Amino acid sequence: MVRSYSKYEQSQAFAVVNSASSNLVWTADSSIPIGSGRSSGAGRAYVGANEEVLCWDVKKGELLSRWRDTASTTQVTAIARSGADQDVFAVGYEDGSIRIWDERTATIIISFNGHKSAITTLTFDASGVRLASGGRDTDIILWDLVAEVGLFKLRGHKAQITALHFLHTGTDDVRERDSMIPTGLETEQVFLLSTGKDALIKLWDVHTQHCVETHVAQSNGECWAMGVSPDSSGCITAGNDGELKVWSIDLEGLRHSAAKIGDLDELRYLRERGVLYRQGKDRTLGISFHAQTDYVAIHGSEKAVEIWRIRTESEIQKSLARKRKRRREKAASNDTKEKEEKEHDQETHDKIETADADIGEVIVPYVTVRTGGKVRAMTWMSVRDQKKLQLLASTTNNSIEVFEVPRRSKTKTPTNDDAPEYNRVYSVDLPGHRTDIRALALSSDDRMLLSASSGSLKVWNVRTQSCLRTLESGYALCSAFIPGDRIAIAGTKDGQLEIFDIASSALIERMDAHDGSIWSLHVHPDGRSVATGSADNTVKFWKFEIIQEEIPGSKRTSPRLKLVHFRTLKVSDDVLSLRFSPDGRLLAVSTLDNTVKVFFTDSLKLFLNLYGHKLPVLNISISSDSKLIATCSADKNVRLWGLDFGDCHRAFFAHSDSIMQVSFIPRPSSSDETHIFFSASKDRLIKTWDGDKFEQVQKLQGHHGEIWAMVVSQTGDFVVTASHDKSIRVWSRTDEPIFLEEEREKDLEELYESTLTTSLENDTELPDGQDGAAAASKQTISTLTAGEKIAEALELGMADLELVRDWEVQKAAKPSLAPPQRDFVFLALGNISAERHVLNTLSKIPAAQLHDALLVLPFSALPALFTFVAIWVRRQWNTTLVCRVLFFMLNTHQKQIVASRELKSMLEGMRSDLRQTLGGMKDVLGFNIAALRFVGDRVQENGISRLEDVAAEDSQANRKRAFIDVA
């Protein structure tokens, strides 16, 4: 009989505040719908957390919502919020996909797929209808959120896109007076500003889909960031060595550019204003202008955010006047340069008049805010207090911080320009570790989880994922619960053992146990002692003793746990891992010389010496029946050994990187699971193995970084892993059985799909030195299967059409003729007609994937498709979808269609029907627009009130009346 195994699936992921792969978005509480939680007043932060988007209450530090697409396991790399609809967010992922989320329902509205690699930046236009995305694949794609399609792909950059921004030049007077003109009929010119790591800044005309202007944004390497002022009159680009380049944008020139005819190469709408230099010389990663005030926040890859201030015109004039005065004083002492200084004074005076002062006089440093970790992203928060600025920053060490900076006082004299004092007002850091988790331990009842990192230990409730205690510690490398689960013990890099009381969150004792780092510790199965292994070539044994400690200032005593050293085992090299056998008879120790030595626990005599690994053994586990020992190593192998004779049963090439942990189930509920074990590696995978059949059972993937630690629950109900991505994940056993043959087939399918998607990428590249637009399409497995479904439906439908037509011809001669035997697919769908079945197949395909699915159809399928299109047009079924399919196929296969007589005759037949249908729809739309205009005019008229201002000149004087219209 074929053996089945228990399937494990990820059930929980926690301990992540934010990941370093994405930016953050801040929203005010006022935009949150009523009933979604009590407002705290500080707003909410939306951050990427591996494959999820988390919404945090900035003030309370509470997790309010969690957005996750279960079908996707790739990291979030970019987040953008729509300015028109505050509840709509665009989220970009590492695989190049984009999902539009609705904040109110936490559901996906639209999914787009067009980039080959990770999304790096997203931005909405002012109307919220168009979305621009830039990726590592050097492409910029514009998406239409109403039609749910990709409009076009802009190519011209030679490296990763780093920033995008829409420039709206404004509309004509007609558009401003009449807001009822639908989107798409306005005369507004829309441009797109883009920067890339190729150090170029480009200006694109969205309407004509070509590049208007290109400049070199940075003189010393890549351009990593761009910030555009709120009024779009200027921008700042930044890159390496703290260099900031300031540009002015000629919006007036862009507004009238469409009316100009001829060669426009000489026209320049972007002009360089000058270069500034940050205090830090690291790479600049973010620039953000404040929406209401003249402040700019700039951050690099270090622990600082620099805030710059844009001076007012009067301040600039005063500053230049002071400089002129100093030059005069200097020139007075040197008569030979007097004439030269007068000329310079005249130039400076002219600068004041023309507002062309040096950019260093306009934008000046204000304050440098020091953060708790390296800054990944930051944004301004809007506050009502006119005297303060608030800045929200997400850091790479898994925390979010809010800083408050006082604004510059207008009463200060210009000379008193000292840096103001800022303070950190809020932080979200308790729900996670600041550094990588290096060790995990479960309590005896599997309810509490202990995680250890550099600087802290945290105790978690496994069921609710809430952090119960945070304990300050050294650089912890290993940890464990002491029997009773009230006390935790940790071994540190400094060779110290730290003992904590969990209930009171107090450090009971810190003792110098070893001269080197304590890499491993394990509590003896009898619960009375613990063994620690260190880099000082020793294994030390410690007894648990309860001593009576005097309470200072009184004669009373209180019991306290103490570790008493009673034995030492010396080995030839550094101890990396140690483990007692479950029966307590043996102790296995792995050392830096690639071997594992097994000793008798009572006499500490050498029992076995296990040779075979080519690199040091990083972890050991012994099965619950004390018969098998599993060892994992940096040589990417797992080896199974017998504990009776020390023979190697099997060596598995288990992972593609160093294997950090291996573990049997401590107390399996059935004998079949005694030799089931798990392995976790730096290749981000957890694997399940059968130690009797020597086969891989299951592969678990979900982590986005190296897995450092793993622990298995007592009965194997769940496995907990911790990774470099700062997350702790729980993999729970499900009721679904899995079979080895099915798993092998699934692996082969994944391999086939991965090779298939790479072969589908056949984009045509633009010639060198040319910028232009291409189709925003990308073939994926889903679009391929959708195209196959359309082809299958067309084949079935054509056969059924001919069958029904023949029956109708015969029925005209024989009215009593029985209906024909149709295909079982149509009967299963409720005896549906062929044309309705094909239309339903098309309508079920998401709008964003329809064009890519139609590209899969060969040209030979066009006659069948056009046959059904003619029927749909005649019956006026789903005209919007039908027209979209028809026009796309005409654009795609134009030359072949023109050369085909059959297809030309079919198009001639449906032309009159389509023209009539579209004409009727156009009339309905025109009538509706006219009605909306009429209603809008009435609303505007009702919004005007007439007020009378009555003022008496004297007690009996005549009254004057003044009238004013207030809209």
Side-chain angles (χ1 to χ4, degrees):
M1 185 175 175
V2 178
R3 182 180 172 184
S4 64
Y5 298 88
S6 299
K7 185 175 183 179
Y8 286 82
E9 288 182 351
Q10 181 180 319
S11 59
Q12 300 163 13
F14 56 97
V16 184
V17 176
N18 67 294
S19 56
S21 61
S22 170
N23 62 321
L24 81 165
V25 172
W26 178 84
T27 64
D29 287 324
S30 57
S31 65
I32 306 301
I34 297 169
S36 64
R38 193 171 179 182
S39 168
S40 66
R44 304 185 177 196
Y46 293 84
V47 293
N50 297 324
E51 70 275 13
E52 299 175 321
V53 176
L54 302 182
C55 172
W56 294 97
D57 186 312
V58 173
K59 190 173 183 179
K60 296 178 183 176
E62 291 179 3
L63 181 62
L64 301 175
S65 65
R66 187 190 292 266
W67 303 347
R68 185 186 178 191
D69 183 7
T70 52
S72 172
T73 57
T74 54
Q75 285 192 98
V76 174
T77 54
I79 306 173
R81 186 190 188 200
S82 172
D85 188 347
Q86 304 291 329
D87 299 319
V88 173
F89 287 77
V91 180
Y93 293 82
E94 198 174 30
D95 61 352
S97 62
I98 301 167
R99 291 169 181 81
I100 311 298
W101 290 84
D102 186 348
E103 179 197 27
R104 290 164 295 188
T105 57
T107 54
I108 299 172
I109 310 170
I110 314 167
S111 291
F112 292 126
N113 210 334
H115 288 276
K116 297 179 196 172
S117 55
I119 306 294
T120 53
T121 180
L122 292 168
T123 183
F124 284 92
D125 71 346
S127 63
V129 172
R130 282 173 292 207
L131 173 72
S133 63
R136 285 186 191 157
D137 56 2
T138 75
D139 291 337
I140 301 166
I141 300 182
L142 258 74
W143 308 91
D144 187 339
L145 271 65
V146 177
E148 300 183 11
V149 294
L151 297 174
F152 49 84
K153 185 182 291 185
L154 297 173
R155 288 180 165 170
H157 283 283
K158 303 301 179 189
Q160 168 183 320
I161 310 298
T162 53
L164 294 171
H165 189 85
F166 277 102
L167 296 177
H168 296 268
T169 59
T171 56
D172 58 4
D173 295 336
V174 176
R175 174 70 180 171
E176 289 173 5
R177 284 199 311 269
D178 195 348
S179 60
M180 294 300 166
I181 298 177
T183 304
L185 300 181
E186 70 269 21
T187 57
E188 182 185 12
Q189 286 286 102
V190 180
F191 294 86
L192 185 67
L193 205 58
S194 67
T195 57
K197 276 176 65 177
D198 54 4
L200 297 179
I201 178 169
K202 287 178 176 284
L203 184 63
W204 304 84
D205 189 332
V206 173
H207 181 64
T208 60
Q209 303 175 17
H210 78 282
C211 182
V212 177
E213 202 172 328
T214 303
H215 294 275
V216 177
Q218 297 305 121
S219 59
N220 55 353
E222 301 103 338
C223 176
W224 281 94
M226 177 181 67
V228 182
S229 62
D231 59 357
S232 299
S233 62
C235 68
I236 299 175
T237 57
N240 299 329
D241 299 332
E243 183 187 57
L244 308 172
K245 194 172 278 190
V246 185
W247 306 81
S248 66
I249 302 171
D250 183 8
L251 286 178
E252 192 64 31
L254 287 172
R255 188 177 294 117
H256 299 102
S257 61
K260 294 176 183 175
I261 301 172
D263 191 9
L264 303 178
D265 290 342
E266 296 181 0
L267 297 175
R268 288 288 176 262
Y269 305 109
L270 281 174
R271 295 186 183 88
E272 187 180 338
R273 284 294 312 275
V275 178
L276 303 171
Y277 288 95
R278 288 174 50 226
Q279 195 174 10
K281 298 301 179 187
D282 53 324
R283 177 186 297 159
T284 305
L285 296 179
I287 302 171
S288 178
F289 281 80
H290 197 285
Q292 285 91 24
T293 56
D294 295 330
Y295 289 90
V296 190
I298 303 169
H299 77 86
S301 55
E302 296 301 325
K303 301 180 180 181
V305 177
E306 294 182 24
I307 299 177
W308 294 61
R309 189 173 61 84
I310 303 173
R311 285 174 165 173
T312 61
E313 191 172 345
S314 62
E315 284 184 277
I316 297 169
Q317 289 185 359
K318 287 178 182 177
S319 175
L320 291 173
R322 284 200 306 274
K323 287 189 175 182
R324 189 166 65 244
K325 184 180 178 182
R326 283 198 294 269
R327 277 196 297 270
R328 281 176 185 165
E329 292 171 353
K330 190 176 179 181
S333 61
N334 192 352
D335 295 336
T336 57
K337 294 185 178 180
E338 188 174 356
K339 186 178 179 182
E340 188 179 326
E341 291 297 328
K342 284 181 179 178
E343 291 175 0
H344 203 285
D345 285 348
Q346 186 61 39
E347 288 176 10
T348 309
H349 183 69
D350 292 340
K351 278 188 178 181
I352 295 174
E353 295 299 326
T354 57
D356 284 334
D358 184 54
I359 197 65
E361 299 287 343
V362 180
I363 305 175
V364 293
Y366 183 58
V367 65
T368 300
V369 176
R370 303 290 174 186
T371 56
K374 291 183 178 179
V375 183
R376 170 57 185 89
M378 53 81 193
T379 185
W380 291 104
M381 299 167 59
S382 58
V383 289
R384 294 179 182 177
D385 192 348
Q386 298 296 322
K387 296 181 180 179
K388 294 176 182 176
L389 300 168
Q390 280 194 345
L391 190 73
L392 178 70
S394 66
T395 58
T396 56
N397 66 349
N398 200 26
S399 67
I400 302 171
E401 297 175 325
V402 178
F403 295 92
E404 203 167 70
V405 182
R407 294 190 188 181
R408 183 177 181 275
S409 175
K410 294 179 180 178
T411 58
K412 278 189 177 182
T413 58
T415 54
N416 190 8
D417 211 6
D418 298 329
E421 292 185 1
Y422 62 89
N423 60 323
R424 190 178 79 166
V425 287
Y426 309 121
S427 66
V428 183
D429 53 8
L430 284 178
H433 284 273
R434 305 283 74 74
T435 54
D436 288 1
I437 297 168
R438 303 311 297 259
L440 292 173
L442 280 168
S443 61
S444 57
D445 56 3
D446 291 337
R447 291 185 180 181
M448 288 192 298
L449 174 72
L450 179 68
S451 58
S453 71
S454 173
S456 67
L457 300 179
K458 283 183 181 284
V459 181
W460 307 85
N461 184 322
V462 176
R463 188 175 60 84
T464 62
Q465 306 107 54
S466 58
C467 182
L468 304 176
R469 295 285 185 274
T470 299
L471 313 167
E472 290 187 9
S473 69
Y475 196 141
L477 297 174
C478 51
S479 62
F481 281 100
I482 287 176
D485 300 331
R486 294 183 179 181
I487 292 173
I489 183 172
T492 69
K493 198 172 183 179
D494 299 331
Q496 295 180 327
L497 278 177
E498 297 178 336
I499 306 167
F500 296 92
D501 183 355
I502 296 173
S504 62
S505 302
L507 176 67
I508 297 175
E509 187 179 8
R510 179 182 283 121
M511 54 191 295
D512 294 324
H514 289 269
D515 296 331
S517 302
I518 301 176
W519 288 106
S520 180
L521 63 84
H522 191 219
V523 178
H524 194 278
D526 64 8
R528 296 178 181 177
S529 63
V530 64
T532 57
S534 167
D536 62 0
N537 303 6
T538 62
V539 177
K540 290 187 178 181
F541 299 84
W542 311 81
K543 284 191 296 187
F544 300 137
E545 287 190 1
I546 304 296
I547 62 169
Q548 297 295 327
E549 189 176 50
E550 288 188 6
I551 299 174
S554 68
K555 294 182 180 180
R556 291 181 298 167
T557 60
S558 64
R560 183 174 72 82
L561 179 79
K562 187 173 179 63
L563 292 186
V564 179
H565 174 235
F566 68 99
R567 265 200 310 185
T568 301
L569 170 66
K570 290 191 176 181
V571 291
S572 59
D573 221 320
D574 293 13
V575 177
L576 298 180
S577 181
L578 58 86
R579 183 71 50 178
F580 287 105
S581 61
D583 58 9
R585 193 171 64 94
L586 301 172
L587 171 69
V589 179
S590 75
T591 54
L592 200 62
D593 59 2
N594 311 346
T595 64
V596 177
K597 299 174 177 63
V598 184
F599 300 90
F600 290 105
T601 308
D602 50 2
S603 62
L604 294 185
K605 288 185 178 179
L606 182 65
F607 172 50
L608 297 170
N609 214 336
L610 309 179
Y611 295 96
H613 282 289
K614 296 176 183 177
L615 287 171
V617 176
L618 301 177
N619 197 245
I620 305 169
S621 184
I622 300 176
S623 62
S624 58
D625 57 2
S626 301
K627 291 181 179 178
L628 285 181
I629 178 171
T631 59
C632 65
S633 165
D635 63 7
K636 308 171 189 174
N637 284 288
V638 170
R639 286 178 178 262
L640 274 179
W641 318 75
L643 267 180
D644 41 8
F645 301 108
D647 55 324
C648 181
H649 290 187
R650 184 63 64 94
F652 308 93
F653 182 74
H655 292 268
S656 58
D657 209 333
S658 299
I659 305 169
M660 304 304 295
Q661 297 272 161
V662 65
S663 179
F664 283 97
I665 299 173
R667 295 188 182 91
S669 53
S670 67
S671 59
D672 292 340
E673 295 180 339
T674 305
H675 294 160
I676 298 290
F677 66 95
F678 300 84
S679 64
S681 166
K682 281 186 179 180
D683 66 359
R684 310 177 182 185
L685 297 177
I686 303 108
K687 291 186 179 180
T688 314
W689 305 85
D690 186 342
D692 293 327
K693 290 190 173 183
F694 311 123
E695 286 190 283
Q696 177 187 320
V697 177
Q698 193 183 358
K699 179 172 64 177
L700 302 172
Q701 49 191 355
H703 278 292
H704 302 286
E706 301 92 343
I707 299 173
W708 296 114
M710 177 181 71
V711 64
V712 182
S713 66
Q714 298 294 328
T715 57
D717 288 336
F718 61 88
V719 181
V720 186
T721 54
S723 164
H724 175 65
D725 63 14
K726 302 292 193 300
S727 69
I728 300 174
R729 295 173 192 258
V730 180
W731 312 82
S732 299
R733 181 177 10 208
T734 62
D735 296 332
E736 184 182 350
I738 57 172
F739 302 93
L740 296 180
E741 291 77 10
E742 289 181 1
E743 288 298 304
R744 299 296 87 80
E745 287 176 10
K746 194 184 296 182
D747 291 343
L748 286 173
E749 283 177 10
E750 288 178 3
L751 184 64
Y752 169 70
E753 287 183 1
S754 63
T755 54
L756 184 63
T757 48
T758 52
S759 65
L760 288 172
E761 295 295 342
N762 55 352
D763 284 351
T764 55
E765 297 294 333
L766 290 170
D768 288 342
Q770 289 190 18
D771 300 337
S777 62
K778 179 187 176 184
Q779 289 291 351
T780 60
I781 295 297
S782 58
T783 59
L784 198 63
T785 53
E788 290 172 352
K789 285 179 183 176
I790 297 173
E792 185 183 345
L794 286 173
E795 188 179 344
L796 278 174
M798 287 303 293
D800 190 71
L801 272 183
E802 291 177 9
L803 186 68
V804 172
R805 280 174 185 166
D806 292 343
W807 174 72
E808 287 175 350
V809 170
Q810 294 174 14
K811 189 180 179 183
K814 298 179 181 179
S816 60
L817 187 67
Q821 184 65 36
R822 303 177 67 204
D823 194 281
F824 70 91
V825 173
F826 300 106
L827 299 175
L829 294 171
N831 210 18
I832 193 173
S833 65
E835 52 269 29
R836 179 60 74 179
H837 172 60
V838 178
L839 185 61
N840 287 347
T841 304
L842 281 168
S843 59
K844 285 176 183 176
I845 299 170
Q849 298 178 7
L850 182 61
H851 287 179
D852 293 327
L854 290 171
L855 283 173
V856 177
L857 291 179
F859 181 72
S860 58
L862 245 61
L865 180 63
F866 281 4
T867 302
F868 284 105
V869 169
I871 297 172
W872 298 332
V873 168
R874 193 163 54 249
R875 299 183 184 177
Q876 298 186 3
W877 285 358
N878 201 344
T879 309
T880 307
L881 177 64
V882 172
C883 288
R884 189 175 166 196
V885 170
L886 175 62
F887 298 151
F888 178 76
M889 298 311 282
L890 288 175
N891 282 330
T892 307
H893 302 285
Q894 183 186 6
K895 293 179 181 178
Q896 293 91 331
I897 291 170
V898 170
S900 171
R901 286 186 180 180
E902 180 192 1
L903 293 176
K904 280 169 71 177
S905 61
M906 293 175 73
L907 289 172
E908 285 290 335
M910 72 174 81
R911 183 171 66 172
S912 58
D913 293 334
L914 188 61
R915 183 169 289 175
Q916 183 180 353
T917 303
L918 292 177
M921 293 182 71
K922 184 180 177 183
D923 292 340
V924 172
L925 284 172
F927 181 82
N928 289 340
I929 289 171
L932 285 171
R933 285 178 180 169
F934 176 75
V935 172
D937 290 341
R938 295 298 295 270
V939 169
Q940 193 172 2
E941 288 174 7
N942 291 335
I944 297 176
S945 304
R946 174 155 291 194
L947 303 178
E948 293 186 7
D949 186 12
V950 181
E953 293 183 353
D954 51 75
S955 58
Q956 299 178 355
N958 296 326
R959 294 179 178 175
K960 284 187 178 180
R961 294 189 178 184
F963 297 96
I964 183 169
D965 286 338
V966 180

